[in-house]
Amino acid sequence: MSLSVQGSGLAATTLQDRSRLAPAGAQGPDQSQSQSQSQPSVVVLAGVDRIQSSQAALTRDGLVAAKGVLDAAVGAGRGVGQALLDMREAVRGALDPQRAVGVDGLAVAYQRHLTAIDRFAAQANFHGRNLVDGEAADPLRFALDGAGAEAVLEPADLTADGATVDLADSAVTGDPAWDAKLLDRIDAALRRVSDQVDALTAQASQLDSHFAALSRLGEAQSAGESDLDAEGAKLRALDVRQALADQAASIAAGTQAVLALLRA
Amino acid sequence: MSLQAYQQASQRTEPPRDLEYRLFGQVTRALLAASALDARDASTLGERIDALDWNRRVWSALANECADPANQLAAPVRANIISLSLWVNRHSSAVMRGQEAFQDLIDVNRIMMQALEPRAAA
């Protein structure tokens, strides 16, 4: 017995090209709305209380698309944070009178990490949507049903010249006074990036909650657990493996009985 | 249809369970490849995201199938698969945050492959 209703439905859905095609649930930004790039982002789930179990598949698709965009943004935010930490080390090196590397070398390393920030922001492009490259000043909307329910994700500019990082014009100079101020700017940028990643993570958590609520629509899902940890997940997978093996054995036994009748 | 024609047609059409096994194999290989990438390298971000998204969509499609009243799996199995889909969804985000590893996703997929592998149905 296969896992899907029509057998090949699952495979047809997901064996297709997995390159970054625009998903059905993604829609363009709403030009009528805008928000400050430095404002903490908060997900909006509009009309989700009206969603019926019959529309759960569409809703799940929309949520998956939104989660993909958020995960890409969070992954980029993590990379930007790491780049800022590396930049901080370069500046601290320049301020250290006992430094083993010359200021010129540290300045080059600093610029390399600064460039990496923009690369991380650009790489967060997911299905043509990017929350953190500074291009999406308007919220990104993901349809959750055919009647207007949607998830609305707020952007957060994480580019080097965006309001969150704001270090595009910075450089290591070897001047202690200047570099000390630069260190303060980097620390402030780190705090802002951390706040933005927290806000993006909060949006993802809200979507997770809705996933769990969605799983409670309909009879089969009522027994589904939404708080498994990794070990619990492996145990559930083992249960599924055993159940499928039992069913396969049962089907095989039935087939043998039919064959025996035909031979008789 | 003659027995011979039926056998030939059966050989040409891949059973659904085999398709699902093949799908899990492909997505698990993508996760394995993504897990080996350096998260500090910005150029790897896209591949890591794509692998996690593909796996999430596989599990979401499974959850959709198991939510369908016409699905013939027993209710506890369907509930388990839906629970796993929820876990995959959360765990994938945690991987992108750097709080969890790919390995747990790979382990669960491998168990599913064991459940679906052709010899298990014999």
Side-chain angles (χ1 to χ4, degrees):
Chain A
M1 177 175 289
S2 75
L3 304 176
S4 55
V5 177
Q6 298 300 328
S8 61
L10 167 67
T13 301
T14 48
L15 274 174
Q16 61 191 332
D17 178 16
R18 65 187 180 90
S19 62
R20 299 175 182 200
L21 302 172
Q27 296 180 338
D30 183 347
Q31 299 300 322
S32 67
Q33 297 190 37
S34 63
Q35 82 142 34
S36 164
Q37 291 176 342
S38 60
Q39 180 181 336
S41 49
V42 177
V43 71
V44 176
L45 289 166
V48 293
D49 53 326
R50 300 192 307 268
I51 293 173
Q52 303 299 309
S53 59
S54 60
Q55 295 174 314
L58 174 59
T59 303
R60 203 173 268 116
D61 289 347
L63 288 172
V64 165
K67 277 298 297 271
V69 171
L70 275 173
D71 282 353
V74 169
R78 182 177 167 232
V80 168
Q82 185 60 54
L84 285 170
L85 289 172
D86 292 340
M87 288 163 64
R88 195 176 192 281
E89 284 307 302
V91 178
R92 283 169 64 92
L95 287 168
D96 181 0
Q98 308 296 322
R99 62 181 173 263
V101 181
V103 171
D104 288 349
L106 292 168
V108 169
Y110 182 91
Q111 288 302 319
R112 189 172 65 245
H113 299 313
L114 192 56
T115 302
I117 289 176
D118 282 338
R119 292 187 66 200
F120 272 113
Q123 286 287 316
N125 187 322
F126 181 83
H127 293 284
R129 307 284 176 220
N130 192 330
L131 278 174
V132 297
D133 66 353
E135 299 295 323
D138 302 311
L140 299 188
R141 297 171 177 276
F142 296 83
L144 300 182
D145 70 357
E150 58 184 9
V152 184
L153 307 184
E154 297 291 349
D157 186 352
L158 296 183
T159 58
D161 63 352
T164 304
V165 176
D166 192 22
L167 288 168
D169 61 347
S170 65
V172 170
T173 63
D175 174 351
W178 173 275
D179 288 343
K181 286 183 180 176
L182 180 55
L183 205 56
D184 291 340
R185 287 182 65 189
I186 293 172
D187 284 342
L190 268 168
R191 285 192 294 272
R192 290 192 297 269
V193 168
S194 177
D195 288 346
Q196 287 287 14
V197 170
D198 286 348
L200 292 166
T201 301
Q203 293 189 71
S205 296
Q206 281 183 267
L207 294 182
D208 285 341
S209 298
H210 194 61
F211 263 112
L214 195 64
S215 77
R216 289 191 286 273
L217 292 173
E219 54 176 322
Q221 303 94 309
S222 60
E225 295 177 46
S226 60
D227 58 349
L228 290 180
D229 58 13
E231 291 310 309
K234 289 171 191 172
L235 289 173
R236 290 293 179 279
L238 289 168
D239 286 346
V240 170
R241 185 182 71 178
Q242 186 60 49
L244 291 181
D246 291 346
Q247 285 187 312
S250 173
I251 291 169
T255 305
Q256 291 300 319
V258 171
L259 290 174
L261 285 172
L262 290 174
R263 282 196 296 269
Chain B
M1 181 185 285
S2 68
L3 177 61
Q4 189 176 11
Y6 175 76
Q7 287 173 336
Q8 287 174 348
S10 298
Q11 287 167 0
R12 283 197 301 268
T13 307
E14 189 173 18
R17 188 162 170 155
D18 291 358
L19 269 175
E20 291 163 358
Y21 174 78
R22 188 156 61 90
L23 172 62
F24 265 104
Q26 290 176 348
V27 75
T28 305
R29 277 197 298 277
L31 289 174
L32 272 167
S35 71
L37 298 173
D38 180 4
R40 293 176 65 134
D41 182 350
S43 66
T44 69
L45 182 60
E47 187 173 344
R48 288 183 286 124
I49 292 167
D50 279 350
L52 289 171
D53 172 64
W54 191 19
N55 190 52
R56 178 182 275 141
R57 282 191 289 131
V58 166
W59 278 98
S60 181
L62 271 182
N64 283 340
E65 295 283 353
C66 289
D68 191 322
N71 189 293
Q72 295 183 8
L73 290 173
V77 179
R78 293 160 63 190
N80 273 340
I81 290 173
I82 289 172
S83 296
L84 284 167
S85 169
L86 293 170
W87 172 79
V88 166
N89 182 44
R90 284 197 322 276
H91 196 85
S92 300
S93 297
V95 170
M96 286 311 296
R97 290 196 299 272
Q99 295 171 340
E100 297 286 355
F102 278 88
Q103 192 57 48
D104 292 323
L105 294 169
I106 293 167
D107 289 345
V108 166
N109 279 13
R110 279 179 169 158
I111 295 171
M112 292 300 291
M113 288 178 70
Q114 291 167 5
L116 292 166
E117 66 183 332
R119 64 179 171 79

